[in-house]
């Protein structure tokens, strides 16, 4: 599974960087695109986590998921401030990514509390890995911001205990949640392909310079998938 | 309208303090009750504001209402920490108020974005006034906390511009929203009466000592309603 989607995504980015000259500087609209999609993804994650928290039975779990939601809103605020510092309008910068991010959530609405937990954990984890990976190709100011956002993740640890307890109580849960996690990754990839197709400057910026682009993208997605596999293992789920 | 509900609430509290000896110290469970209802009300306000923000059309408005939601969650965190410091279990302390707070929100689900805005503004304002008023009867540590929470309100100012613009565009909106605001206050009072009936220690604590209880309660609610009237005027609504 993992190598298939690494290859799919690497090809998809490569298709959009083939027209790029090696000496061309990273265009600003690539950076704004990145800030725009991260900002809108954070804002949306905030709302979806709020919705998913409503599925919790205990007040303590409800509050724990709400805390993850609030952390996402903090990310949104940092990203929005950076967009404004770049003299751009946050709404305009986010707009191109509304359809893809909304489509992802529409196709991955959790049907119960456990699915909500797994989505929060997997999503938070992939987002953190992605932030860490893209930080390497950014200008110093944007890089600082992305690393700051990254340092504020890690609220998802309480999920591990909850999911493991649920699997212990009913081992059949593991199979269902493993399938769910795969579906989440699949849907995220589908929307990532769409974004890459629609926003060549973003695809180009993430690809780095032409000589190393395939290697860099490959490495980035290999790291993402290794970390994803580690998270699945932590939850007690087969990848 | 205003004097009717001041009187109703004052009577309702007075009925529950009549058996109290003047020298009796404020019981701790009154303080825990207060922290419990404020904590659960803040947590619930967080979720309801998230829901209401989803009704916004523009991303900027969505983010502005989300910011109010996040402030409510901050209040919840402060209150929960204080409950834990008092060696109590936050869930147990909040539980007695779940039914009343949930009933309030079930009966006041906004049917559109403007109703959501007015609810956010009126609710935020009444909460701030209430915090300010009850701070006077609390022990120093709880008072400090309540004033700290209070200092963090005031995110609702953007509402004024939105509601006034809507009324300018269609003056009939003013009548509908004024009725809506009255309904919000009425439902809040109904649930406050229920809480006072169910939790005599809380009613007693808020009433202060027997000699001054009616005057204190009357003054407190007169201040609350004056401030409510000022907010209605700021929105361009008849009280």
């Amino acid at each position: 599974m993992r190598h298939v989607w690494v290859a799919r995504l690497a090809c998809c980015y490569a298709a959009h960087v083939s027209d790029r000259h090696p000496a061309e500087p990273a265009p600003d609209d690539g950076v704004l695109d990145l800030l725009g999609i991260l900002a809108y993804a954070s804002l949306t994650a905030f709302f979806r986590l709020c919705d998913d928290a409503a599925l919790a039975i205990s007040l303590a779990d409800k509050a724990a998921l709400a805390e993850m939601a609030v952390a996402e809103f903090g990310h949104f605020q940092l990203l929005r401030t950076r967009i404004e510092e770049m003299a751009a309008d946050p709404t305009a910068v986010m707009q191109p990514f509304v359809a893809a991010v909304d489509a992802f959530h529409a196709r991955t609405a959790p049907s119960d509390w456990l699915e909500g937990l797994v989505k929060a954990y997997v999503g938070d984890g992939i987002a953190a890995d992605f932030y860490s990976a893209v930080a390497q190709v950014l200008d110093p100011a944007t890089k600082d911001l992305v690393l700051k956002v990254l340092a504020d993740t890690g609220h998802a640890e309480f999920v591990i205990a909850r999911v493991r307890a649920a699997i212990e109580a009913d081992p059949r849960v593991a199979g269902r949640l493993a399938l769910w996690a795969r579906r989440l990754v699949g849907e995220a990839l589908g929307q990532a392909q769409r974004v890459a197709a629609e926003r060549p400057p973003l695809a180009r910026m993430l690809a780095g310079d032409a000589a190393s682009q395939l290697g860099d993208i490959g490495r980035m997605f290999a790291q993402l998938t290794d970390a994803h596999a580690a998270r699945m293992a932590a939850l007690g789920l087969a990848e």
Side-chain angles (χ1 to χ4, degrees), chain A residues 92-119:
Chain A
V93 170
M94 290 191 286
Q95 204 60 54
F97 307 104
V98 167
V101 173
D102 285 359
F104 169 74
H105 287 290
R107 298 165 75 102
T108 58
S111 63
D112 65 11
W113 165 243
L114 283 174
E115 288 190 1
L117 280 184
V118 169
K119 183 174 171 182

Side-chain angles (χ1 to χ4, degrees), chain A residues 61 65 68 112-122 156-181 184 231-238:
Chain A
D61 283 354
L65 212 54
M68 291 179 68
D112 65 11
W113 165 243
L114 283 174
E115 288 190 1
L117 280 184
V118 169
K119 183 174 171 182
Y121 183 73
V122 167
E157 296 309 312
F158 89 101
V159 174
I160 294 175
R162 294 291 185 284
V163 173
R164 284 189 166 268
I167 293 171
E168 204 161 301
D170 178 3
R172 288 168 307 175
V173 163
R176 175 167 74 84
L177 292 181
L179 273 176
W180 169 245
L184 291 172
R231 279 189 295 272
M232 290 298 94
L235 289 176
L237 301 178

Side-chain angles (χ1 to χ4, degrees), chain A residues 25-94:
Chain A
D28 272 355
D29 57 355
V31 172
L32 277 177
D33 266 4
L34 180 70
L35 293 172
I37 191 170
L38 294 179
Y40 188 67
S42 301
L43 182 62
T44 310
F46 166 77
F47 284 115
R48 291 295 76 74
L49 285 167
C50 288
D51 287 352
D52 299 347
L55 299 168
I57 294 159
S58 85
L59 283 176
D61 283 354
K62 221 180 262 273
L65 212 54
E67 206 153 321
M68 291 179 68
V70 169
E72 290 292 346
F73 193 76
H75 300 169
F76 164 72
Q77 287 176 307
L78 286 170
L79 292 158
R80 181 180 57 185
T81 301
R82 178 74 189 135
I83 293 167
E84 286 166 347
E85 281 168 4
M86 292 172 76
D89 170 43
T91 298
V93 170
M94 290 191 286

Side-chain angles (χ1 to χ4, degrees), chain A residues 138-150:
Chain A
L138 296 172
D139 62 280
T142 313
K143 182 176 176 177
D144 283 354
L145 170 74
V146 163
L147 292 177
K148 195 169 166 189
V149 167
L150 177 66

